[in-house]
Amino acid sequence: MPQTLAVLVGSWLKITRSECSALYPDRLRLAANGLYTGEKDPPGAFTLWDAGTWEVSGPGQIRISTANDAIITYRFTHSGDRLRFVDPDGCEFEYRREP
Amino acid sequence: MPTQRNPRELVASLPPLPETVPAPPEEVGAAAPGSDDPTTTAITRGLTPEPFPAGLRFPPFRLKSLRCGCYLINYKPKTPSLVTYDGTIRVECHSAGRTASGDLYQRPLIFVRPPLPEITLQPGHPAAALQPQPPAAVSPLVLFGPPPNPANGIPIFARKRYRYYLRITQLLEFFTTGTGFTLGFEMWRFTEPNNWTNEGAFTAQMTWTTAPAGYPSPGDYLEGDVNNSAGTVVGRLTMGWVSKYFRKATLEIDTVAGSEVPLDNGAGVTWKTVFDEVGWDLNVQVSQLSVPPPSGDSWSDAELHAAMLAHRATVNLDTEWRYHLLAVRLLDSTPRGIMYDVGGTDSNNVPREGVGISSHWVIPNSSPWGTVRGQRFGAAAAPYFRTAVHELGHALGLFHNTVDNGFMNTTDVIANSCPATFPACIKWAFADDDLKRLRHYPDVHVRPGGTAFGRASTTTPAISPTDITDTAEGLELRVSPVLAAVPLGAPVRVDLELKNTGGQPAVVPERLGLKGGFVGGTVTDPSGNTRVFSSIIGCLDEQPMRTLAPGETITDSLTLLRGPDGALFPAAGPHRITVEVRWNVRGIDRVVEGSADVMVTAATDQAHAEAALKVLSSPDALLALALGGDHLKDGVEAIGAALANPVLRPHYAYIEAKRLADRFGPRGPQAEASKLLDESAVMSSAEKRKAATLRKAAAAKMA
C-alpha cells in the first residue's frame, strides 16, 4: 500500500474559500490504509478529490488520485492542526483538522 | 411520484365485488398474515357490496399502463409559431411504479428562396446580356426540417440543438382503466456551458391514440395539450414508444499490439449484460488491434487523445453517441485506467469521448490484491474489464461512488474491502444512484461532446424524482417457490419469509401478501425481458405494521400470473422472480428484496398448449384470480379452460374453489368448492390455511 504519513491521517475541513480551490472537497478524510474520501458541503456536488488513494511521495509531496483516475502530485505543508496544499496550477488552499 | 389514480378512486370505479371466501375468525375485522391472493378482503372491509341485479352483465374493462422504454416526443408550443421541439422521454419501470425524464432539441428550420420569375429573351435582344435581378423584397419560405423517423428507433439529435431537460414529476405509475393520464413536468432550459433555468411546471392530459405510420408499436402512442401552471394551453405534446432501451451508444475499442481487448470479466459479464441492465443499447465495435505507440510503452493523456483522433472510425457525434476505448500497455498518469478526455479544452474541444486502460501494469504481489496479486493486469480478466467499464462510466459523466463495490467505486477501495478474495467481491453492476443517473441525467451530461467532466449534477437541474429509498439493513426476505417447476400456463406460487437478522427490533408491514400494498416485484423471462407485478388493489386504509424482534420472522405467500405488462411466465424456461417489500417510515421508503428461480416446463401436448394460451392471453384471468367475480367472463372462461386440462387443473383448483365459495348469486357455495380441493391441488401455505377454513365451512353446511 502507499506510504502514508500518520500525522495526516484523519478528517480535515477546508477553510480556504478561494475560487481556485472550489474544486477541492470541503471535508477530506485521509485513512491510514492509503485511501481517502472527499465531500462537498452540501454533499453531491463534484469534487476533484472524491475517492481514491493518497501517498506521501517525498518531502512535502503527496500523490492523490483524482476524479478521473489521474494521479496528481501536490505540494503540502503540515503544521499543528493545519494542512496546506498547493496544486500544479499554483492554487493554495488550507484545511483544519476536524475536532 | 403521485399515482394517477389512487386506490380508493380505483375501487370506486370497479363494479361491486362479490364477497370472498369466508374468513377464519382471526381475519374478521383485521386481515391476518397468511393471505396470499390480491383479492378483496381489504376492499370489502369498510365497503358494502351492492347485490348484482339478476342478469346484469358488466362490460369488461382493460387495464392500460405506460410502456417502459424510450419514447420519441414532439412538443409544439403555441408561440412562437416557428419553433418545435423533438426529443425523447425515458420511462423506467420498477416495482414502485415509473420514473421518467426527457430532453428536447429544437428542430432546425429550412429557409427556401421562392422561385424567381422566368425571363425569356430572344437571342440578340439588347437586354439578354443583363443578369436578371430578383425582386428586391422577396421573403424566403421558412419550413421545419424533417422530423425524426420513429422507425429508426431511439433518435440522436445535434448537440447544438439541445434546449430543455424535462423533469417529470407526475405520470401513470401503474395502470389505468381510462384512456389517458396526466403528465406533469418541469422544463429546464439549458444554455452553454452548463446553465439551467426552470421555466415552470406544466401538465399535459395525455390520451392514447393510434400512432402515425412508422412507429413500431401503434398502441403505445399518446397526445395531449400542455397547460402551464395557470391552466392555459401553451402547446401540444406527442409521445410514441420507439425502443425498450432508454438510450443507445457505440463503444469502439482499439488496442496496441499485445494489449488484451476487454470484452468480459471471464465469468459471463459482458458489455451487453452490463448495459442491458442500465437500459442502454450499447453496440461494441472492436476495431484496430495494433495502434502504434508514439513514444514507448507508456502513454500520456495527450498521446491517448491524439491516437483516438487518428485511429478511430469516422465520427459524427450529432448522429451517433460514440465513445472510444484504447487499451495500451502502460499509462503515464495512473496505473490502471483513465478518462483522459475531461474537458472541452483539448485538441478537438470535445469532452468525454475517450478513455484508456493499461494491460501491462503488474498488480502488486501483496495485500490487498487477493487472488490476482502479481498478475499482469490485462491477464486478470475480471479487474481489467471492470476498469474498462469504470472508465467508460466516467465518460458517461459519472464520478466515483463508494456506496457499494459497483463499477464506479475505485479498484483500491474494493480491494481493501476484501483483501483475501479480491476480485470476487466486485459488484458487477452500477450502484442504484448511478443507474438512475445513466437513465435520467439530461442528455448533455452523458452524451459524448456534452458538458465537460465534472459538470454533471443531480441537483442542477434536479434529476427526475423517485421515492427516497433506504435498503432495510438487518432484514432478509426469503422467497421460496412452492414448486421448483410449473407447467406452462400455471400460476407460480411463492412463499415469503421476512426475518429480522439484525440486533434491533424493526417495524415492518404485518402482511406481505399482494393485497397489503407493500409487495411488488419483477419476473425476468428466459429472453431477458423483465415484467413487473404489484398489487392490483392498493391499500385502502392504514395498513397494519408490527415490530419484528431480532430473530423473529413473518410469513406470507404470493400467487403470480400476470402483471400490467402481460403474462409473467409466458414461455418455457428458467424465470427469475424478484420480490420487493417496500414500506414508508417518516417519508422514507424502506426496501427489502429477495429472489428465487422457477422453471416453467413446456406444453406436454396440444390440449395443454391451447389451455395455456387461453389463460396466458386473457387479461381478465388475473382479475378473475384476484377478484373472483363471475362478471369477469373472459377470465372465468380462461380459468375454466385451464381446469379442463389435466396438467393445469391442480394449479387452478384453489382459484376456482375460491370463486365458487364466494357467496354470489343463487349458487350454493362451499360444498362444490370443497370438492375441487383434493390432494393434487397446488396451494401456497396461505392458500392451504384458507382451504382448511373452506372445508370446515362446507362440513358445517353438510351437517
Side-chain angles (χ1 to χ4, degrees), chain B residues 498-517:
Chain B
L498 180 65
K499 183 173 186 179
N500 185 351
T501 58
Q504 299 295 322
V507 176
V508 300
E510 187 173 285
R511 297 165 47 211
L512 304 180
L514 283 169
K515 70 182 175 186

Side-chain angles (χ1 to χ4, degrees), chain B residues 334-375:
Chain B
T334 191
R336 295 176 292 273
I338 188 164
M339 202 287 283
Y340 59 82
D341 200 8
V342 294
T345 55
D346 51 30
S347 57
N348 69 340
N349 297 318
V350 177
R352 293 187 296 97
E353 293 181 276
V355 302
I357 60 170
S358 75
S359 60
H360 282 57
W361 174 67
V362 177
I363 300 169
N365 192 12
S366 60
S367 181
W369 298 104
T371 60
V372 291
R373 58 173 62 185
Q375 292 186 22

Side-chain angles (χ1 to χ4, degrees), chain B residues 161-194:
Chain B
R161 293 276 162 197
Y162 188 80
R163 295 294 182 271
Y164 287 101
Y165 175 64
L166 301 181
R167 180 173 183 262
I168 294 177
T169 54
Q170 182 182 3
L171 78 167
L172 181 64
E173 296 277 5
F174 291 107
F175 63 88
T176 178
T177 54
T179 58
F181 62 90
T182 302
L183 183 74
F185 58 93
E186 298 166 354
M187 290 183 68
W188 288 80
R189 176 84 181 193
F190 172 78
T191 49
E192 298 274 8
N194 191 35

Side-chain angles (χ1 to χ4, degrees), chain B residues 261-281:
Chain B
V261 181
L263 289 178
D264 59 64
N265 75 341
V269 176
T270 67
W271 290 102
K272 179 166 176 54
T273 64
V274 170
F275 278 88
D276 272 3
E277 183 182 349
V278 177
W280 280 47
D281 183 8

Side-chain angles (χ1 to χ4, degrees), chain B residues 265 336 363 369 372 375 377 380-388 411 422-423 426 428:
Chain B
N265 75 341
R336 295 176 292 273
I363 300 169
W369 298 104
V372 291
Q375 292 186 22
F377 197 45
Y384 185 62
F385 177 69
R386 199 203 85 88
T387 292
T411 302
F422 179 83
I426 290 173
W428 294 101

Side-chain angles (χ1 to χ4, degrees), chain B residues 94-249:
Chain B
H94 45 73
S95 56
R98 303 281 192 275
T99 300
S101 59
D103 296 278
L104 290 175
Y105 297 73
Q106 188 173 350
R107 193 186 298 174
L109 299 173
I110 300 172
F111 295 82
V112 181
R113 184 177 291 280
L116 296 176
E118 288 189 12
I119 302 171
T120 306
L121 297 174
Q122 295 296 321
H125 190 283
L130 299 174
Q131 188 71 24
Q133 296 297 310
V138 174
S139 298
L141 294 172
V142 184
L143 305 172
F144 286 121
N149 181 355
N152 292 339
I154 297 173
I156 304 294
F157 300 97
R159 287 164 291 163
K160 67 180 181 183
R161 293 276 162 197
Y162 188 80
R163 295 294 182 271
Y164 287 101
Y165 175 64
L166 301 181
R167 180 173 183 262
I168 294 177
T169 54
Q170 182 182 3
L171 78 167
L172 181 64
E173 296 277 5
F174 291 107
F175 63 88
T176 178
T177 54
T179 58
F181 62 90
T182 302
L183 183 74
F185 58 93
E186 298 166 354
M187 290 183 68
W188 288 80
R189 176 84 181 193
F190 172 78
T191 49
E192 298 274 8
N194 191 35
N195 300 312
W196 298 88
T197 306
N198 185 1
E199 294 194 349
F202 300 84
T203 57
Q205 298 301 320
M206 303 304 293
T207 303
W208 275 283
T209 184
T210 303
Y215 281 86
S217 180
D220 292 301
Y221 180 86
L222 303 101
E223 292 189 6
D225 284 339
V226 176
N227 294 269
N228 63 17
S229 56
T232 305
V233 175
V234 294
R236 189 158 180 84
L237 183 69
T238 66
M239 56 186 290
W241 185 92
V242 291
S243 175
K244 68 177 183 178
Y245 292 102
F246 305 125
R247 288 173 154 142
K248 70 176 180 183

Side-chain angles (χ1 to χ4, degrees), chain A residues 1-2 23 33-38 42-54 63-72, chain B residues 301 333-335 337-342 366-369 390-391 394 398-400 402 409-410 412-413 416 453-458:
Chain A
M1 284 305 293
L23 277 178
N33 62 0
L35 302 179
Y36 81 89
T37 56
F46 174 73
T47 174
L48 195 59
W49 296 349
D50 56 3
T53 58
W54 68 282
R63 283 162 53 83
I64 298 179
S65 68
T66 57
N68 75 327
D69 300 323
I71 296 175
I72 295 176
Chain B
D301 292 355
S333 56
T334 191
I338 188 164
M339 202 287 283
Y340 59 82
D341 200 8
V342 294
S366 60
S367 181
W369 298 104
H390 175 95
E391 301 308 334
H394 284 319
L398 299 178
F399 311 144
H400 289 139
T402 56
N409 206 336
T410 70
D412 298 281
V413 171
N416 272 276
F453 180 68
R455 303 275 193 177
S457 162
T458 54

